[in-house]
Amino acid sequence: AAEKYANFRDRNRWKLQDRTVSTGLDNSDLLTWTLEDFATKISELYLASVAEPQAIKISSDEFPRILRTYEETKVLRPSLYDFLANRALDYFKSGYNYLSAPAYKFEITDPDALKAYPIFEAIQWDTRDSQSLDLKALNLYQDLIRFHVNDEDPSALIHTDLARLQYVHEHSLDTEKDAQYLETLEAYKTTFADNPQVAEVIYLIADYWRNQGNKYQPGPSDAYRYDLKKAYDLCGEAIEKFPNS
């Protein structure tokens, strides 16, 4: 249902964007809604779909026609809850609710947002910006981590938290975010050393050094000079350790 509301809003956005809040209108008529009405309803429906995680802790194997999974990857999203939560995350992470940002717009500035999942999961976000899609995404990542934190196989936890780290790294305004991102990835490389998902951890570390290496400029400074070599070596390490990943 949330997707239907979002599609209707997107098709009619040019009609809605200048509409102001009015009273006394028929709220059942979508043609009278404002962009804020749609933003509220869409978020409510996505959140309602994941409001009871334990009630939808159903194996993805039970829905073969709906949840297209592959044997190699279904450990990463093993339940109906994972499917619904990630569908909601796709919307929240898009950032598109077409609302003007308030003066008190929520921004990701907390350095703990890029730390290991036990620290991230405990953060309480202090903001008045209830419509923030960033905030809703972070809250849902916290819920997903809690859902998987005690799994016997940590694959889904690792996969979820790596997605969280990438999202926060991209959107954080913390000036030290690069160093914290790398520190957390390096810690996961050790913590989950024997899990095949660590190949993705190594890849992200390699990609970090690739981006650093691309900044190199020939000259008297050696800054970034050997970072591409670090990335290359890390890729070789991942292939050697997990050739089937």
Side-chain angles (χ1 to χ4, degrees), residues 1 108 182 203 222 235:
I108 306 175
L182 182 61
Y203 162 75
D222 282 341
C235 289

Side-chain angles (χ1 to χ4, degrees), residues 219-240:
S221 173
D222 282 341
Y224 311 115
R225 182 174 182 177
Y226 302 106
D227 291 350
L228 287 177
K229 177 65 165 56
K230 290 181 184 178
Y232 178 83
D233 290 344
L234 283 162
C235 289
E237 177 185 344
I239 292 170
E240 181 179 358

